Amino acid sequence: MPHPTTTDLLIIGAGPAGLMAAAWATQYDMTTRIIDKRPGRTPTGHADGLQSRSLEILESFGMVDAILRRGVAHAEMCFWGRNKESAGIEREKRSRARLKDGERFGMVLLNQGLVEQAFLDHLGEVKVEYGKRAERLVFLENEEYPVEVGVRKDWTDGADGVCDDLEIIRARYIIGCDGAHSWTREQLKVPVRAGSGDSTWGVIDIAPISDFPDIRQSCAIHSGDYGSIMTAPRENRLVRFYTYPKGDGKLNVEGRDQSEVSRDDLVEAIQKAMRPYKLTYKHCDWWSIYKIGQRLVETYRPHDRVFLAGDAAHTHSPKAGQGMNVSMQDTYNLVWKLGSVITGTAAPRILDTYNLERRPVGEKLLRLDTELVEAYEQDTTTTEGVERVRNQYVDFMTGVGIAYGPNDLISGKSGEGSVARNIRVGVRLASYPVVAQADGVCMQLAGRFTSNGAWRLLVFPGDLRGSRNWGRLCDFAARFNKQPHLSSLHTDQRFGRCRCLESILVHASPRASINLLDLPDMFHPFDETWGWDYSRVFADDGSDGDDLGHTYDRYGIQQKFGALVLCRPDQHVAWMGSLEEVEALEEYFARIR
Amino acid sequence: MPHPTTTDLLIIGAGPAGLMAAAWATQYDMTTRIIDKRPGRTPTGHADGLQSRSLEILESFGMVDAILRRGVAHAEMCFWGRNKESAGIEREKRSRARLKDGERFGMVLLNQGLVEQAFLDHLGEVKVEYGKRAERLVFLENEEYPVEVGVRKDWTDGADGVCDDLEIIRARYIIGCDGAHSWTREQLKVPVRAGSGDSTWGVIDIAPISDFPDIRQSCAIHSGDYGSIMTAPRENRLVRFYTYPKGDGKLNVEGRDQSEVSRDDLVEAIQKAMRPYKLTYKHCDWWSIYKIGQRLVETYRPHDRVFLAGDAAHTHSPKAGQGMNVSMQDTYNLVWKLGSVITGTAAPRILDTYNLERRPVGEKLLRLDTELVEAYEQDTTTTEGVERVRNQYVDFMTGVGIAYGPNDLISGKSGEGSVARNIRVGVRLASYPVVAQADGVCMQLAGRFTSNGAWRLLVFPGDLRGSRNWGRLCDFAARFNKQPHLSSLHTDQRFGRCRCLESILVHASPRASINLLDLPDMFHPFDETWGWDYSRVFADDGSDGDDLGHTYDRYGIQQKFGALVLCRPDQHVAWMGSLEEVEALEEYFARIR
């Protein structure tokens, strides 16, 4: 047996969930390794939809630009049904994608391989170890690195068959992001609940040659006898077609594997469903026919030290463009908690919240999937059912409405009677434009919420020109500094990379009326080398543009009362209170440390 | 003598001008090399301002994101003068930076090294050959590659003194981007005109510790007896200070070189000028004291095959934040012409336009510089003079108002009576948001004007629902296809990388009323493998947002008359006419081929 190596975190699988885990892990002072049995990243095909919340998360890592530049924006969805007289399809409706208040990104379509590439370009220290297969899982007792995994390197290129290089990796924690047929899940014999049904789908990415007028838009097409199609425009000149054929056009795939079904059969089924429009192609990027079962693991944390994420935890049909998003959001929820525990800033029991927060998302995902499957399989000639389900789940599908808690990390009340009527505890904080006090730059508040491991305490003191609000703010600062947990979290910081608590002030005074250095020290902490931090104070001041000056209103914060809003490192609101509730805030942190 | 190697283009110097030249050159099917005698990119300091037009150009190469993310936006400039009673400085005015109609970027501050890094990250095939010094220039007669340059590699790291590796490079053309002390310029003994005066400046990049309230804003400070200061906030927590000391605070630098002037003297001069505010620092990133002369070469093209650009062609003070911008724009103007000539799509005589277009910019730059120097040196205690000069030259300073021609590449009339009242021939086309016909995505028209070497013919036919405009458009297309130059340029294309003429249609009909494939073929050219091009048709349709649907109005195009607008590969308007003036357009291309 080779001598074991150790790592704080071992990630098994480098799809979107694993890569997101690695991106998060690099923000913490810990060692991380990520292995994948494949020889390299996904070359073509597979998932291709990025929803609003996923784009916000990518942005928080500073890596959304390449995605937006390469991908195709989803601006409009067209619904097509069958014209009863001509028996061909006809457009029933155009549905424009609209951003909700506080939402910054619309859906973007880009193949999974290019999303993985954006992560690979972004990951600095951590390199994906491709061609490495996990083959043995043992738990050691009373060890600092108790999870032992045997990893074997596949020699597939140019080697002469000698492949006895087994490595033994001991980790504090492992995350199984190893897909629908998860090796990690198998080792622990994690019970899996089967959902309502299995369905067989065909999918193909081609450069279509077609007179279909909406070929460059996302479409839901219900052709009646020839089954349903979903289309999505993609990078370069590709279009993705999903087909769920039935009736005359049925693909006879039951009991056969993909190799027996020719690509031509798949295209023929699509051609029939798209009549009277013609469709041919010369270039095919990728295609697949697959039977997908709805599956959900009974727990996302089958062992104290082992977590499951992405397809290893949940599988479903591709109908709602959710897979890649929910998978990335699984590990985005998990790894800041792991980073905090491993680096000693939070107690291990916060790890319970991973299953508590993400498994309900998996459950809801399967419900959405079931309803969409039913809507697509309905024996109608319209897409009304599909549209109804999509509208019902819109906040879930974009990801911006996903709510966690209450639990150890989410506490306090929302809604009417709370300090910020329109902020919901447990949901990610919406972002609005504000003006930076120090330099007058207009920016999204979310631009200050990068994923670097910091918690953020937003302090809304109202208009500071009167002595009342100014006095309350000074009192708040004085009491804050007296709290042991708060003050230690707040001062434990390093320039550029903060894993603690940043206080952010958003005042409602005219920007020119405030001198930043007059504010309490906590809003401009001093560093001996780098001087004051000028990046923490913002004005909700409307004098420089119509879209500015509405942040208090949009959050539902009253200027005379103000508010404290605590955001976790993943931007979800953890707690809210008034400027006087400093002790309750202190208790929050006392509880999780 | 070693055996010579050949290259189509040799770029000497890899500062911003040289790197921009290389970025352009990679868009053409030709060989390019770029050498620099330095061991690597600029590490710290030097230029740091990027103006609007430079950012548009970087965006057209798809490389602006990293710059915007790393740089500091310039939102407001503060003017400070001397308070006559207290003798300290006081704020006279805040001046908010406002985007002009059609302008998309404000000024961004980022050190030159990081701008160079963005180019290095972007350049694929072409790698900068650092540590290589040109040392011999010979012109060969009747050779395909007539410019012979001897290049020697500097061995500075780890080598044992053997440095006899001279390489002989023969090039079709060379560009001297080798700075204020240009070797290229020296070889050809290019006459240089000296401007109005030399001045001595101090510059320093520090992380300031100061109670000056506008420390994170750009400021012009006129302290009276202690001279003038300009400040600019920068990436990380740096601030740049320029100082032009006088009176008591005068730096005694005349006749001394930088090594004799301590950094402390420089800071002391700044400290005196900023009273009553205090300024100290621990971290200094870079500093320099330099005497800068206004110089302009008599010609930017001292030999048929040799061009000068950037500081090799013009030097001046750093007062207006122009240096890096004008330098990059020099080669942005030149290299698409060189690429067209080298690849055989244009006649060599279009190269004359480089000097015709860029030398007047150099002249105006020196005039601006003279006026700013005078304003800073004025014996007053206010900054009014500086502000007046800045306002007068604002369109020149941002770069969006720079006008070329008339010359071989710029023809036709602008203004009242022209087909597009608000478009000026010779100026870069302003951009407005439009809706893409095929997918409904709202985007800036400029997003379609990437720097890939293509010319763009914008066709504005008005509202196509009536038969009159529809008929005119079909007539236009039919006549266009009969013109030998136009039709050959238009069809000579490859997917993804087009070095010819793209026709772009912007109609004024509701988007839903048009089916893209019903339009004349020239607006959706067909490729056997990739199908139709769906990316060329846009609707000026306001139904999906208040900022949409105003493009005709903003360009001053009347719906009933329509317009043709021809843009060069550098987005400058080359020619305008009515839909009937196809022959004039044909003549334009006949003239330059």
Side-chain angles (χ1 to χ4, degrees):
Chain A
M1 286 283 285
H3 191 72
T5 50
T6 60
T7 183
D8 290 319
L9 178 62
L10 174 65
I11 302 160
I12 302 176
L19 290 166
M20 174 64 80
W24 237 149
T26 59
Q27 298 299 320
Y28 288 84
D29 266 340
M30 62 184 194
T31 51
T32 302
R33 290 179 66 179
I34 173 168
I35 62 170
D36 195 301
K37 64 184 181 185
R38 299 176 302 169
R41 71 159 170 87
T42 304
T44 54
H46 299 275
D48 66 359
L50 286 165
Q51 306 285 357
S52 181
R53 178 58 186 150
S54 299
L55 294 167
E56 289 182 1
I57 293 169
L58 293 170
E59 144 102 321
S60 76
F61 285 104
M63 54 182 285
V64 80
D65 304 320
I67 304 282
L68 297 179
R69 211 165 266 286
R70 290 175 163 181
V72 173
H74 167 86
E76 195 173 279
M77 179 145 186
C78 291
F79 294 87
W80 288 71
R82 182 171 156 209
N83 179 316
K84 280 173 192 125
E85 281 153 35
S86 74
I89 56 169
E90 64 178 4
R91 191 193 295 114
E92 290 174 343
K93 192 172 177 178
R94 294 174 186 268
S95 173
R96 190 88 191 155
R98 305 244 176 241
L99 292 186
K100 278 185 57 166
D101 182 60
E103 204 176 357
R104 289 176 297 137
F105 299 99
M107 186 180 176
V108 167
L109 296 148
L110 184 67
N111 92 59
Q112 178 176 334
L114 292 176
V115 177
E116 291 177 11
Q117 189 60 53
F119 276 103
L120 296 175
D121 293 343
H122 174 79
L123 287 172
E125 314 148 33
V126 176
K127 298 268 175 251
V128 177
E129 302 170 46
Y130 284 110
K132 289 197 178 172
R133 186 184 298 274
E135 59 169 39
R136 194 173 139 271
L137 178 62
V138 180
F139 296 100
L140 311 171
E141 281 187 35
N142 303 318
E143 290 277 346
E144 204 179 342
Y145 299 91
V147 195
E148 188 175 286
V149 181
V151 171
R152 201 174 285 280
K153 170 94 179 146
D154 281 347
W155 290 108
T156 48
D157 35 24
D160 51 3
V162 186
C163 56
D164 59 349
D165 52 348
L166 180 73
E167 186 188 4
I168 302 296
I169 301 177
R170 288 187 185 167
R172 289 186 202 272
Y173 293 93
I174 71 170
I175 313 176
C177 308
D178 43 355
H181 305 288
S182 170
W183 172 89
T184 314
R185 193 183 62 213
E186 294 298 307
Q187 301 312 298
L188 292 166
K189 300 191 173 44
V190 187
V192 172
R193 211 183 66 198
S196 60
D198 295 352
S199 54
T200 303
W201 278 74
V203 56
I204 188 165
D205 291 345
I206 54 174
I209 299 172
S210 174
D211 58 352
F212 180 62
D214 294 340
I215 195 76
R216 292 298 304 168
Q217 303 202 187
S218 295
C219 295
I221 303 171
H222 221 99
S223 79
D225 293 346
Y226 297 112
S228 300
I229 294 176
M230 290 193 321
T231 74
R234 280 264 304 281
E235 71 279 2
N236 302 328
R237 290 194 195 173
L238 298 176
V239 174
R240 165 156 297 186
F241 293 83
Y242 287 106
T243 175
Y244 180 78
K246 65 173 196 173
D248 286 356
K250 192 166 194 162
L251 287 173
N252 293 315
V253 293
E254 321 297 345
R256 300 202 294 168
D257 68 11
Q258 176 180 328
S259 59
E260 295 175 54
V261 180
S262 81
R263 191 167 71 182
D264 293 344
D265 289 350
L266 176 57
V267 173
E268 198 186 316
I270 296 170
Q271 285 168 330
K272 281 187 182 160
M274 288 187 70
R275 283 177 189 162
Y277 299 103
K278 293 183 194 66
L279 174 82
T280 61
Y281 70 97
K282 291 259 173 74
H283 173 83
C284 173
D285 216 46
W286 178 74
W287 68 287
S288 178
I289 294 191
Y290 54 100
K291 197 163 180 167
I292 194 101
Q294 284 190 345
R295 303 280 183 276
L296 182 67
V297 288
E298 290 292 343
T299 173
Y300 281 32
R301 193 188 185 189
H303 181 281
D304 248 26
R305 301 290 184 145
V306 181
F307 302 86
L308 298 174
D311 286 357
H314 42 74
T315 60
H316 52 93
S317 86
K319 286 178 202 66
Q322 289 295 298
M324 179 156 58
N325 299 277
V326 173
S327 297
M328 290 195 296
Q329 287 166 39
D330 282 346
T331 49
Y332 189 64
N333 178 287
L334 172 61
V335 177
W336 69 267
K337 298 170 185 172
L338 273 175
S340 307
V341 169
I342 290 171
T343 58
T345 62
R349 90 191 145 83
I350 69 164
L351 299 176
D352 288 342
T353 63
Y354 173 59
N355 186 62
L356 289 173
E357 293 180 346
R358 293 305 298 177
R359 196 170 178 286
V361 172
E363 280 177 352
K364 190 161 182 182
L365 177 61
L366 263 56
R367 283 204 300 281
L368 159 64
D369 192 53
T370 300
E371 294 188 36
L372 267 181
V373 169
E374 282 169 12
Y376 270 99
E377 292 186 9
Q378 261 169 20
D379 231 355
T380 68
T381 55
T382 80
T383 54
E384 272 170 28
V386 173
E387 200 189 351
R388 185 188 44 73
V389 176
R390 291 181 67 95
N391 287 340
Q392 184 188 329
Y393 281 88
V394 63
D395 282 357
F396 179 80
M397 286 171 61
T398 61
V400 300
I402 289 175
Y404 299 145
N407 60 42
D408 278 353
L409 288 170
I410 302 288
S411 68
K413 65 175 183 183
S414 307
E416 288 301 328
S418 77
V419 291
R421 224 172 39 250
N422 304 330
I423 296 179
R424 256 184 83 194
V425 170
V427 177
R428 78 92 176 84
L429 189 70
S431 177
Y432 301 105
V434 288
V435 186
Q437 178 67 39
D439 57 17
V441 171
C442 304
M443 58 181 276
Q444 285 284 340
L445 197 50
R448 196 58 191 71
F449 286 25
T450 51
S451 289
N452 63 356
W455 293 69
R456 272 88 185 198
L457 176 63
L458 280 104
V459 180
F460 295 91
D463 186 339
L464 292 173
R465 283 174 298 178
S467 61
R468 183 179 164 280
N469 284 351
W470 184 269
R472 283 184 74 208
L473 180 65
C474 294
D475 287 350
F476 161 76
R479 289 171 62 204
F480 182 96
N481 289 325
K482 285 190 194 130
Q483 309 296 326
H485 286 106
L486 291 178
S487 60
S488 76
L489 277 165
H490 197 261
T491 52
D492 166 29
Q493 61 177 302
R494 271 158 292 181
F495 174 59
R497 202 165 165 184
C498 170
R499 269 169 228 92
C500 44
L501 177 62
E502 281 189 317
S503 43
I504 308 281
L505 183 77
V506 184
H507 66 77
S509 338
R511 174 172 164 260
S513 70
I514 301 291
N515 183 0
L516 195 146
L517 293 188
D518 293 343
L519 294 163
D521 290 346
M522 66 181 287
F523 301 113
H524 47 82
F526 184 75
D527 177 279
E528 290 216 343
T529 303
W530 296 99
W532 285 288
D533 181 348
Y534 291 92
S535 72
R536 296 174 174 228
V537 182
F538 298 90
D540 187 26
D541 176 348
S543 53
D544 287 308
D546 292 345
D547 54 337
L548 295 167
H550 308 298
T551 299
Y552 273 66
D553 280 355
R554 283 165 162 170
Y555 285 143
I557 297 171
Q558 292 187 56
Q559 289 216 15
K560 60 180 168 181
F561 297 122
L564 300 178
V565 178
L566 177 68
C567 288
R568 313 193 308 190
D570 62 356
Q571 299 102 26
H572 282 254
V573 176
W575 175 90
M576 290 196 295
S578 71
L579 265 72
E580 282 68 38
E581 293 179 79
V582 178
E583 283 76 15
L585 185 63
E586 169 74 3
E587 274 163 35
Y588 177 96
F589 283 103
R591 210 163 50 226
I592 65 168
R593 289 193 91 183
Chain B
M1 285 284 283
H3 192 72
T5 50
T6 60
T7 184
D8 291 319
L9 178 61
L10 174 65
I11 301 160
I12 301 176
L19 289 166
M20 175 63 80
W24 238 149
T26 60
Q27 298 299 320
Y28 288 85
D29 267 339
M30 61 186 194
T31 51
T32 301
R33 290 179 66 180
I34 173 167
I35 63 170
D36 194 300
K37 63 183 179 184
R38 299 175 302 167
R41 71 158 169 90
T42 304
T44 54
H46 299 276
D48 67 358
L50 287 165
Q51 307 284 358
S52 182
R53 178 59 185 150
S54 298
L55 294 167
E56 288 183 2
I57 294 169
L58 292 171
E59 144 104 319
S60 75
F61 285 105
M63 53 182 286
V64 81
D65 304 320
I67 304 282
L68 297 180
R69 212 166 266 284
R70 289 175 163 180
V72 173
H74 167 85
E76 194 174 281
M77 179 146 185
C78 292
F79 294 88
W80 287 70
R82 180 172 157 208
N83 179 316
K84 279 172 191 129
E85 282 152 37
S86 74
I89 56 170
E90 64 178 2
R91 191 192 294 114
E92 290 175 343
K93 193 171 177 179
R94 295 174 186 268
S95 173
R96 191 88 193 155
R98 306 244 175 242
L99 292 185
K100 278 186 57 167
D101 183 60
E103 204 177 355
R104 290 176 297 136
F105 299 99
M107 186 182 178
V108 167
L109 296 148
L110 183 67
N111 93 58
Q112 178 176 333
L114 292 176
V115 177
E116 291 178 13
Q117 188 59 54
F119 276 104
L120 296 175
D121 293 344
H122 175 81
L123 287 171
E125 312 148 34
V126 175
K127 299 268 175 252
V128 177
E129 301 171 47
Y130 284 111
K132 289 196 178 171
R133 185 184 299 274
E135 60 168 39
R136 197 171 137 270
L137 178 63
V138 180
F139 297 99
L140 311 172
E141 278 185 40
N142 302 319
E143 290 279 342
E144 203 178 345
Y145 298 90
V147 195
E148 188 174 285
V149 181
V151 171
R152 201 173 286 279
K153 169 94 178 146
D154 281 346
W155 290 108
T156 49
D157 35 25
D160 51 1
V162 185
C163 55
D164 61 347
D165 52 348
L166 180 72
E167 186 188 4
I168 303 296
I169 301 178
R170 288 187 183 166
R172 289 186 202 272
Y173 293 93
I174 70 170
I175 312 177
C177 308
D178 43 357
H181 305 289
S182 170
W183 172 90
T184 314
R185 193 184 61 212
E186 293 300 306
Q187 302 312 298
L188 292 166
K189 300 192 172 50
V190 186
V192 173
R193 210 183 65 198
S196 60
D198 295 351
S199 55
T200 303
W201 278 73
V203 56
I204 187 165
D205 292 345
I206 53 174
I209 298 173
S210 174
D211 58 352
F212 180 62
D214 294 341
I215 195 75
R216 293 297 306 166
Q217 303 202 187
S218 295
C219 295
I221 303 171
H222 221 98
S223 79
D225 293 345
Y226 298 111
S228 301
I229 295 176
M230 290 194 319
T231 73
R234 279 264 303 281
E235 71 279 0
N236 302 329
R237 290 194 194 173
L238 298 176
V239 174
R240 166 157 295 188
F241 293 83
Y242 287 107
T243 174
Y244 181 76
K246 65 173 198 172
D248 286 357
K250 191 164 192 160
L251 286 173
N252 295 315
V253 295
E254 320 299 345
R256 300 203 293 168
D257 69 10
Q258 177 180 329
S259 59
E260 296 174 54
V261 180
S262 81
R263 189 167 73 182
D264 293 344
D265 289 349
L266 175 56
V267 173
E268 199 185 314
I270 296 169
Q271 284 167 331
K272 281 187 184 160
M274 286 185 73
R275 284 176 190 165
Y277 299 103
K278 294 181 192 66
L279 175 81
T280 61
Y281 70 96
K282 290 258 173 74
H283 174 82
C284 172
D285 216 47
W286 177 74
W287 68 285
S288 178
I289 294 190
Y290 54 100
K291 197 163 179 169
I292 195 101
Q294 283 190 346
R295 303 279 182 275
L296 182 67
V297 288
E298 290 292 345
T299 173
Y300 281 32
R301 192 189 185 187
H303 180 282
D304 248 24
R305 300 291 184 143
V306 181
F307 302 87
L308 297 174
D311 286 356
H314 43 73
T315 60
H316 52 93
S317 86
K319 285 178 201 66
Q322 289 296 298
M324 179 157 56
N325 299 277
V326 174
S327 297
M328 290 195 296
Q329 287 166 40
D330 281 346
T331 49
Y332 189 64
N333 179 287
L334 171 60
V335 177
W336 69 267
K337 297 170 185 171
L338 273 176
S340 307
V341 169
I342 291 171
T343 58
T345 62
R349 92 190 143 84
I350 69 163
L351 299 176
D352 289 341
T353 63
Y354 173 60
N355 186 60
L356 291 172
E357 293 180 344
R358 293 305 296 176
R359 196 170 176 287
V361 172
E363 280 178 351
K364 190 161 183 183
L365 177 61
L366 263 56
R367 281 203 301 281
L368 159 64
D369 193 53
T370 300
E371 293 188 37
L372 267 181
V373 169
E374 283 169 10
Y376 271 98
E377 291 185 10
Q378 260 169 21
D379 232 354
T380 68
T381 55
T382 78
T383 53
E384 270 170 29
V386 173
E387 200 189 350
R388 185 189 43 73
V389 176
R390 291 182 67 95
N391 287 341
Q392 185 188 329
Y393 281 88
V394 62
D395 282 358
F396 178 80
M397 285 171 62
T398 61
V400 301
I402 289 174
Y404 300 145
N407 59 42
D408 277 353
L409 289 170
I410 302 288
S411 68
K413 66 174 179 185
S414 307
E416 289 300 328
S418 77
V419 291
R421 224 172 38 250
N422 304 329
I423 296 178
R424 256 184 84 194
V425 169
V427 177
R428 78 94 176 83
L429 189 70
S431 176
Y432 301 105
V434 288
V435 186
Q437 178 68 38
D439 56 18
V441 171
C442 304
M443 58 181 276
Q444 285 283 340
L445 197 50
R448 196 60 190 70
F449 286 26
T450 52
S451 288
N452 64 356
W455 293 68
R456 272 88 185 199
L457 176 63
L458 281 104
V459 180
F460 294 90
D463 186 338
L464 293 173
R465 283 173 300 179
S467 61
R468 181 179 165 281
N469 284 351
W470 185 270
R472 283 184 74 208
L473 180 65
C474 294
D475 287 351
F476 160 77
R479 289 171 61 202
F480 182 97
N481 289 326
K482 284 189 196 131
Q483 308 297 325
H485 286 107
L486 291 178
S487 60
S488 76
L489 278 166
H490 198 261
T491 52
D492 166 30
Q493 61 178 306
R494 272 157 292 181
F495 174 59
R497 205 166 163 182
C498 170
R499 269 170 229 90
C500 45
L501 178 62
E502 281 188 316
S503 44
I504 308 282
L505 183 77
V506 183
H507 66 77
S509 337
R511 173 173 165 260
S513 71
I514 301 291
N515 183 357
L516 196 147
L517 293 187
D518 293 343
L519 293 163
D521 290 346
M522 67 181 288
F523 301 112
H524 46 82
F526 185 75
D527 177 280
E528 290 215 343
T529 303
W530 297 98
W532 285 288
D533 182 349
Y534 290 91
S535 72
R536 296 173 174 230
V537 182
F538 299 90
D540 187 27
D541 176 349
S543 53
D544 288 308
D546 291 345
D547 55 337
L548 296 167
H550 308 299
T551 300
Y552 273 67
D553 279 354
R554 283 164 162 169
Y555 284 143
I557 297 171
Q558 292 186 58
Q559 289 217 14
K560 60 181 171 183
F561 296 122
L564 300 178
V565 178
L566 178 67
C567 288
R568 313 194 306 192
D570 63 357
Q571 299 101 28
H572 281 255
V573 176
W575 174 92
M576 290 196 294
S578 72
L579 266 70
E580 281 69 37
E581 293 180 78
V582 178
E583 284 75 15
L585 185 63
E586 170 73 4
E587 275 164 34
Y588 177 97
F589 283 103
R591 210 162 49 225
I592 65 169
R593 290 193 87 180

